[in-house]
Amino acid sequence: MTEYNWPKRDASTVIGKELDRVDGLVKATGAAKYTYDINLKNQLYAVALGCPHGHCKIKSLDISAASSVPGVVHVHVFDHAQPDREIEWEGELLVVVAAESEGAAREGLSKVKLEVEKLDVFTSAEDLQAAEKAGRTSKGGGKVETVNEPGDDDDEEEFVEKEIERLLKESKYVVEGYYGIDAITHCCLEPHGSTVEWKDGTLEAHLSTQNVSGTDEQFARDLKVTADNVTVHCDYIGGGFGSKFAPDYWGIAAAQISRETGRPVKFMLSRDQELKIAGNRPSGYIKVRLGADEKGVVQVWDSVSWGSAGAQGGAVSHSVLPYVLVPKNYRRVATTIKCNTAPSRAWRAPNHPQACAMSQTALDDLAGKMGADSYDVFLANLVNATNEKADVYREQMQIAAKLMDWKAKWHAHGKGGARGSIVDGLGMALHTWGGGANESSCLLKVYPDGGVTSFCGTQDLGSGTRTVCSQVLAETFGLGINDVRVNIGSSRYPNSGASGGSTTIGAVCESHRRAAQDALVKIFDLAAAELKVAADTLEAVGGKIRDRNNPAKNLTWQKACSLLGLKPLETTASYVRGTPSPLSNSGVAGVQMAHVEVDRETGVIRMKKFVAVQDQGLVINPKTCKSQIYGAVIMGIAAALFEERITDPATGVFVNAELADYRLARLGDIGEIVVELYEPESERIRGVIGNGEPPAISPKAAISNAVANALGIRVPVIPLTPKRVLDALAKA
Amino acid sequence: MKAFEYAAPATEKEVLQLLSPEPSRTEILAGGTDLVGLLKKLVVTPDRVVNIMEVESLKSIQVLPGGGVSVGTAVTLDVIAEHSCLDVYPAVRQAIHGINSMQLQCQGTLGGELLQRPRCWYFRQGRGLLSTEVETGANRLHAILGNSGPAKFVSCSRIAPALMALGAEVRVIGPGPNDEKRLPLADLFQTPQNNEERENTLLPNQLVTHIILPPVAGRTCATYEVRHGEGPEFPLAAAAAALRMDHRGVVETARVVMGQVAPIPWLSSEAEQVLLGRVVDERVAEQAGEAAVSRATPLSENTYKVQLAKVAVKRAILLAAGLDCGDFRSHARQIEELV
């Protein structure tokens, strides 16, 4: 039985090194083929008609004129687009036209005659009263915890009400606030879609997906074939963020059209469709009352929250409110609102960014009310940390504060003084996440000539999966990363879990390290016989298998592999999710700080500096790890300052569903970003933990808090647009 | 995109021959940064697209006898921004730099920038230039001035305010093969009153060939845009100011034009009146800003733009007068100087 482990820090030669991505060059030169780049011989181009209204009933749909447009080969009508069916969000695809060219397909689409009966539309998720009046609300759950418990004869609700009021009354400081964060879209640079082809009854699907190993079965189920008849390929993907786990009904339609026409079909969503239907994050709004003691430690929390996850209901879960720092007494009640917007999808740490922005802003307002340093108030409230990470947060806060030069820059809320109309401010927030390894299997081949190649049905979301797999294999065999070949991105390879929940790096490190260590045991046995030493004294270092006690006794890697005989050595190793392992772990913390400037005359906010301190156990590649955090912070800045899904209230139309109108952060908007990987030995020995999501959680709250510190008032709802800043200043 | 006939004439006369007198049958292609998107979205569906980038006479920049500069409408924005002939018109250069996109600057042309279609998202989604949905809809980026009629969109040209403030004229040819006229740039723009009208006064078979900037004649000028971020998105409000001041700094002539606030570039005589005969300082500039928006009639969601337009006017005037405008950039400059 192989004893799986990681080499110690000082013994590592590849792991923990800032290596360039193995696929960096092909990505930078355009040689890498994303799904959007896949074009097959004789393929048809498919485009789709989306529903033009937020809520309507289909009266009639006439495709005859579309079918007769020159070049149009096939017109596909979705089952949900039949007469009398109700459509509940704008953009829902109704008809697909496949043609010899994209132009012909679009012209065909323009000939589709659709008649609808418009129904009532509701999109104002922030307006709880209006939602109640429109009958759009449902109970979203809640929870109450109080230190004192009701007696046997007490009415529980009445007791809680009195207890909360008593605790608030006895609090030294009470904050009452309103906070919110609007829905945003995933905005994948590469839209959802696929290019598919049937060959001899089997489907080859090039799919932009974060779930290579899982989507073959999904295709098979909907196409009524067995999964062995489907192969999914995805070598590179241009963004998923939680929205690309399935072929989606448009992927199934592509396969159906391909089967019916006998031709390959390319069907990628248009940009506006990508924004409208292919993924969004639920909105969240909250009214909070909190009470704190003289040290600023929150003793009681009382909140009512609401929001919308779209037409199918749901909202931010109350279970993460207040976020991380939870007092012993709390009452939280949630309401969900059904809006005529597309259903939400998982977005980078589902629920956490909203919960952080909806609650750690209130904590910052407590600091404002106390006239205290926000740092000190967060520090004091670490006693309420529910994830047993208080000590880690404390150390991370110290590091972040030093990198930000917090103490020198700090001023009380609204007391910083202005230079003309410009004021500046500091804010912070902290977060938590799991990031445990997903299931993963790896088939490894070591050839008698020394070649090493692995096969794993995982995918690289852009975070460097190929690179870290290469590093793990290279480290294990004492080779360089260019001496090994990593194959991923095909469902023909051994199963590996979907890339969701920050589970990929743990998954692939588990499977690749295990397979490599299993292989190395066998190679050591052969080498030991050749060198006439005990196998357990051998090590693989610098391209050699050598005696640890007498390095002069060694074989080159190639020589050692030649002992395998004529056939390559094959090992397959699997990791079952949730199995305790020395190689991976779960549970991380993270602290972020923002320094902003605000122009009080225009309401425009500029990022000055952002500091992110993040733990993720053992870091395989600090370079790709930091890149992941940079990306998360930039995404967070975009959501904090720019991103808005703007809908027309009368029609439910998502009016800014184009990149020209849907504002994102640009390079000039992000200021200086400082990333610090928190990896003391106490964290390193825990093994690998995913960090794809955690650093995307705190930016919104940290930036909102910095703006509140600058202005001395809270701009309640994120994104903090000039309009909202000016509106808040006008009300103050 | 609907299939269309493509033509690439080599002379101005050929362009006129290829343009249809009927509205919407032909569209002019220059840099294409606007037109291609409209074609793809089927917002415009011409039978013929006439590419004017092969017409050499449209690509010239010339100093005119007696001063002033003539710039062909097919000259790309990056060339204009770098050309020494335009050194004395910093407001134009500032507007081009504000576009913040090398791609748009290198591909976009002067004529295309001036005559690009409105960014109104209702229009861009095929719901019409004069959609009645705007009035009670998502109108946060729409007009706060000149919006009493059916047109609620804003003129989105970045350069037009600067050119108008400087008194630019345009040379227009057509519809007849020998027809040619010069008119003030302001006369190129109109607020459409019905769906048959566009936001410019050109006939379908007319072409703007050149912009003529008069001699600077001792004037100073500046453009100031209030931008949400540092990307290529359109500003929330903008203004350009051109001032002539005597040796004491007293304003003798002034012209202030606002962008992104009305269906046309909005000339503010109110701001001009505040400035005439006074020495520019922050208070005077602020008063001019207030005067410029005194007749604003914001829609349901865009009251904040009144403040932004006011600030844009104030800061454009301060910059034109050679004073600090107090924004992020001037703050950053001050810090650099301290260091």
Side-chain angles (χ1 to χ4, degrees):
Chain A
M1 192 74 179
T2 313
E3 187 184 330
Y4 302 116
N5 54 28
W6 293 112
K8 294 195 185 313
R9 197 190 300 256
D10 55 5
S12 296
T13 57
V14 183
I15 285 175
K17 305 303 176 198
E18 293 214 350
L19 301 180
D20 289 343
R21 289 161 196 259
V22 293
D23 48 8
L25 190 64
V26 291
K27 283 184 174 176
T29 57
K33 296 294 179 201
Y34 291 71
T35 301
Y36 215 127
D37 297 322
I38 303 293
N39 289 295
L40 301 177
K41 194 176 174 187
N42 202 31
Q43 76 184 12
L44 296 172
Y45 295 84
V47 299
L49 173 72
C51 181
H53 299 288
H55 191 195
C56 61
K57 187 182 278 185
I58 293 177
K59 289 168 73 176
S60 66
L61 186 63
D62 181 357
I63 59 168
S64 53
S67 301
S68 57
V69 167
V72 170
V73 174
H74 189 90
V75 181
H76 177 95
V77 179
F78 288 104
D79 289 344
H80 58 253
Q82 302 301 328
D84 291 332
R85 295 293 290 268
E86 196 173 315
I87 305 294
E88 293 189 276
W89 59 89
E90 187 235 359
E92 170 88 298
L93 303 186
L94 305 176
V95 179
V96 185
V97 175
E100 301 289 352
S101 68
E102 188 181 338
R106 293 217 174 274
E107 193 166 350
L109 209 60
S110 72
K111 306 291 185 196
V112 173
K113 289 178 189 151
L114 171 70
E115 274 192 280
V116 299
E117 176 192 349
K118 293 180 189 173
L119 302 173
D120 67 302
V121 166
F122 187 85
T123 59
S124 310
E126 188 184 347
D127 193 341
L128 181 59
Q129 276 187 323
E132 283 168 344
K133 199 173 165 189
R136 297 293 190 126
T137 57
S138 303
K139 287 184 178 173
K143 192 174 178 185
V144 176
E145 287 283 345
T146 51
V147 173
N148 294 332
E149 294 185 355
D152 292 342
D153 299 332
D154 287 332
D155 176 272
E156 198 168 320
E157 270 189 38
E158 200 177 307
F159 171 84
V160 169
E161 184 66 34
K162 282 183 180 168
E163 185 67 359
I164 296 278
E165 294 304 328
R166 180 187 68 78
L167 288 161
L168 285 166
K169 197 174 175 188
E170 290 174 3
S171 294
K172 169 78 172 170
Y173 301 102
V174 174
V175 170
E176 289 191 42
Y178 166 60
Y179 312 92
I181 179 165
D182 285 345
I184 62 171
T185 78
H186 290 63
C187 211
C188 302
L189 207 55
E190 178 186 44
H192 288 58
S194 58
T195 298
V196 298
E197 180 177 26
W198 288 88
K199 281 181 181 170
D200 302 325
T202 65
L203 179 70
E204 297 286 323
H206 298 270
L207 179 70
S208 183
T209 183
Q210 41 190 122
N211 188 12
V212 165
S213 285
T215 38
D216 54 353
E217 290 176 63
Q218 296 179 43
F219 269 117
R221 182 193 62 212
D222 289 351
L223 296 167
K224 309 280 188 272
V225 295
T226 51
D228 57 307
N229 289 303
V230 179
T231 304
V232 172
H233 306 274
C234 181
D235 285 333
Y236 301 96
I237 176 175
F241 315 114
S243 68
K244 287 182 178 171
F245 292 122
D248 288 307
Y249 66 90
W250 48 84
I252 301 301
Q256 288 170 332
I257 295 168
S258 178
R259 184 156 61 182
E260 288 190 36
T261 59
R263 293 176 63 177
V265 171
K266 177 170 188 162
F267 184 10
M268 305 298 292
L269 295 186
S270 63
R271 173 54 56 191
D272 66 311
Q273 288 166 346
E274 173 66 21
L275 269 69
K276 286 175 182 175
I277 61 170
N280 66 81
R281 186 177 75 184
S283 59
Y285 310 92
I286 193 167
K287 282 186 176 169
V288 177
R289 293 186 305 164
L290 67 79
D293 64 16
E294 68 284 356
K295 292 177 183 165
V297 178
V298 177
Q299 302 297 322
V300 56
W301 170 278
D302 187 25
S303 69
V304 176
S305 64
W306 67 96
S308 180
Q312 293 176 346
V316 175
S317 170
H318 70 85
S319 65
V320 280
L321 288 166
Y323 188 60
V324 179
L325 306 174
V326 184
K328 292 184 179 66
N329 302 286
Y330 63 84
R331 175 172 61 180
R332 58 193 189 211
V333 181
T335 299
T336 68
I337 298 174
K338 199 172 162 184
C339 282
N340 293 112
T341 50
S344 69
R345 297 185 176 199
W347 189 102
R348 224 168 169 173
N351 293 312
H352 287 233
Q354 298 102 310
C356 185
M358 291 158 73
S359 58
Q360 293 189 6
T361 40
L363 190 63
D364 187 77
D365 280 349
L366 171 63
K369 185 150 198 173
M370 293 169 66
D373 187 330
S374 298
Y375 182 96
D376 295 333
V377 173
F378 271 83
L379 195 63
N381 278 280
L382 291 181
V383 296
N384 285 335
T386 51
N387 56 359
E388 299 177 347
K389 295 271 182 194
D391 291 341
V392 175
Y393 286 126
R394 196 171 291 114
E395 283 191 29
Q396 291 182 341
M397 282 176 66
Q398 284 174 5
I399 294 167
K402 195 173 174 188
L403 291 168
M404 179 56 88
D405 200 11
W406 179 284
K407 290 295 171 193
K409 289 177 181 164
W410 175 259
H411 58 71
H413 286 64
K415 307 288 185 194
R419 294 165 299 279
S421 59
I422 311 295
V423 290
D424 79 315
L426 290 175
M428 67 163 288
L430 51 82
H431 54 254
T432 189
W433 190 248
N438 211 336
E439 63 191 7
S440 181
S441 296
C442 171
L443 165 64
L444 180 71
K445 291 187 182 184
V446 180
Y447 292 87
D449 63 2
V452 176
T453 186
S454 68
F455 302 87
C456 177
T458 187
Q459 50 279 317
D460 185 354
L461 298 195
S463 48
T465 304
R466 277 187 187 82
T467 308
V468 297
C469 291
S470 301
Q471 285 183 258
V472 168
L473 297 180
E475 177 75 50
T476 310
F477 296 134
L479 303 173
I481 59 167
N482 294 319
D483 299 326
V484 300
R485 182 179 295 274
V486 170
N487 296 283
I488 63 173
S490 170
S491 64
R492 288 203 185 114
Y493 300 156
N495 179 67
S496 198
S499 289
S502 306
T503 58
T504 304
I505 191 163
V508 299
C509 284
E510 284 280 2
S511 61
H512 285 69
R513 178 70 174 175
R514 285 166 186 254
Q517 284 196 279
D518 287 349
L520 194 60
V521 166
K522 292 176 183 168
I523 292 167
F524 277 174
D525 285 343
L526 295 169
E530 180 79 6
L531 291 169
K532 300 188 172 34
V533 297
D536 61 4
T537 67
L538 293 177
E539 61 182 6
V541 177
K544 290 179 177 167
I545 305 296
R546 68 184 191 190
D547 184 351
R548 192 179 293 114
N549 304 318
N550 181 11
K553 272 199 159 183
N554 66 65
L555 298 173
T556 64
W557 170 252
Q558 285 76 12
K559 174 65 181 168
C561 291
S562 72
L563 302 173
L564 293 167
L566 298 175
K567 301 280 185 187
L569 168 63
E570 289 189 6
T571 59
T572 298
S574 298
Y575 174 73
V576 178
R577 189 171 192 174
T579 309
S581 165
L583 299 179
S584 69
N585 216 314
S586 72
V588 299
V591 168
Q592 298 186 351
M593 293 179 174
H595 184 206
V596 304
E597 283 186 329
V598 188
D599 185 337
R600 292 176 59 96
E601 280 192 334
T602 63
V604 176
I605 297 163
R606 287 279 181 276
M607 295 302 304
K608 293 281 287 175
K609 185 172 181 177
F610 196 96
V611 173
V613 180
Q614 183 64 48
D615 62 276
Q616 48 272 302
L618 180 148
V619 177
I620 300 290
N621 185 335
K623 192 171 196 175
T624 55
C625 186
K626 283 181 189 170
S627 286
Q628 182 80 310
I629 299 172
Y630 285 123
V633 169
I634 293 167
M635 215 167 175
I637 291 170
L641 301 182
F642 298 102
E643 288 187 71
E644 279 185 286
R645 180 183 64 186
I646 302 169
T647 53
D648 176 68
T651 60
V653 170
F654 180 170
V655 293
N656 62 328
E658 287 289 345
L659 284 180
D661 300 311
Y662 186 88
R663 292 178 186 232
L664 293 167
R666 311 287 176 147
L667 278 180
D669 296 316
I670 60 177
E672 178 190 5
I673 300 173
V674 178
V675 171
E676 179 73 13
L677 304 181
Y678 180 77
E679 196 194 11
E681 200 52 30
S682 57
E683 293 296 327
R684 192 181 186 278
I685 59 169
R686 299 177 65 213
V688 174
I689 311 173
N691 83 340
E693 282 153 304
I697 295 169
S698 281
K700 279 72 75 174
I703 292 167
S704 177
N705 290 343
V707 172
N709 178 243
L711 294 173
I713 58 163
R714 175 68 55 179
V715 182
V717 179
I718 294 166
L720 310 173
T721 60
K723 177 182 191 302
R724 284 188 167 141
V725 173
L726 292 177
D727 287 349
L729 284 167
K731 274 188 197 165
Chain B
M1 193 180 293
K2 192 192 90 170
F4 54 78
E5 187 179 294
Y6 173 80
T11 66
E12 294 179 4
K13 277 201 165 46
E14 285 176 9
V15 173
L16 294 181
Q17 286 167 5
L18 288 160
L19 291 176
S20 167
E22 290 180 47
S24 304
R25 294 288 301 277
T26 47
E27 292 287 346
I28 294 168
L29 170 69
T33 57
D34 187 31
L35 181 65
V36 173
L38 293 165
L39 289 168
K40 287 178 79 171
K41 283 274 186 182
L42 300 174
V43 175
V44 295
T45 52
D47 298 326
R48 178 188 295 156
V49 168
V50 181
N51 178 8
I52 60 168
M53 295 305 279
E54 306 294 320
V55 182
E56 280 306 312
S57 61
L58 304 180
K59 294 183 177 177
S60 64
I61 299 181
Q62 286 181 312
V63 178
L64 300 170
V69 182
S70 165
V71 185
T73 45
V75 178
T76 57
L77 303 175
D78 61 321
V79 172
I80 296 170
E82 299 302 317
H83 205 285
S84 59
C85 287
L86 288 124
D87 285 351
V88 292
Y89 308 107
V92 176
R93 182 168 291 159
Q94 288 157 358
I96 294 173
H97 285 164
I99 291 170
N100 263 344
S101 160
M102 193 183 290
Q103 293 92 331
L104 290 175
Q105 289 160 342
C106 294
Q107 183 69 18
T109 62
L110 177 58
E113 207 288 329
L114 289 171
L115 292 167
Q116 63 188 303
R117 306 302 309 276
R119 291 300 318 171
C120 168
W121 39 45
Y122 290 90
F123 169 63
R124 297 266 160 179
Q125 297 218 357
R127 304 176 97 88
L129 185 57
L130 305 179
S131 168
T132 54
E133 295 166 311
V134 177
E135 187 141 20
T136 53
N139 55 36
R140 68 192 66 186
L141 299 180
H142 285 74
I144 56 169
L145 285 159
N147 56 3
S148 58
K152 311 294 182 194
F153 63 85
V154 296
S155 166
C156 60
S157 169
R158 311 287 284 269
I159 308 173
L163 294 175
M164 268 177 62
L166 287 160
E169 294 184 322
V170 292
R171 174 178 177 262
V172 177
I173 61 170
N178 298 312
D179 291 345
E180 175 182 337
K181 63 180 174 182
R182 265 171 74 153
L183 65 154
L185 174 60
D187 291 353
L188 193 61
F189 300 104
Q190 68 175 1
T191 302
Q193 299 300 321
N194 55 61
N195 285 317
E196 278 67 54
E197 293 180 343
R198 279 195 178 189
E199 65 283 1
N200 63 64
T201 56
L202 293 173
L203 296 170
N205 49 353
Q206 283 185 311
L207 176 73
V208 182
T209 64
H210 293 83
I211 309 297
I212 299 105
L213 274 160
V216 72
R219 292 173 297 168
T220 60
C221 62
T223 294
Y224 190 88
E225 295 182 334
V226 179
R227 294 198 299 266
H228 187 167
E230 293 295 319
E233 288 86 359
F234 286 78
L236 300 170
L243 310 174
R244 179 159 57 226
M245 297 172 286
D246 70 12
H247 65 283
R248 298 163 299 161
V250 175
V251 176
E252 294 178 329
T253 67
R255 189 175 282 201
V256 176
V257 182
M258 288 184 277
Q260 320 293 334
V261 296
I264 56 173
W266 192 261
L267 180 68
S268 175
S269 56
E270 295 89 345
E272 180 183 333
Q273 289 307 312
V274 169
L275 295 170
L276 289 176
R278 300 174 74 181
V279 175
V280 174
D281 59 18
E282 179 149 6
R283 192 173 57 87
V284 169
E286 175 117 26
Q287 287 171 357
E290 283 167 4
V293 297
S294 58
R295 289 192 290 136
T297 50
L299 303 171
S300 57
E301 291 187 348
N302 67 4
T303 301
Y304 77 105
K305 280 188 70 169
V306 177
Q307 163 71 8
L308 299 186
K310 185 175 82 176
V311 174
V313 168
K314 179 181 96 167
R315 292 182 179 179
I317 291 167
L318 288 170
L319 289 174
L323 301 171
D324 185 66
C325 75
D327 69 349
F328 289 118
R329 288 174 202 282
S330 62
H331 175 223
R333 266 198 308 276
Q334 286 166 13
I335 289 176
E336 275 173 25
E337 283 165 13
L338 281 174
V339 172

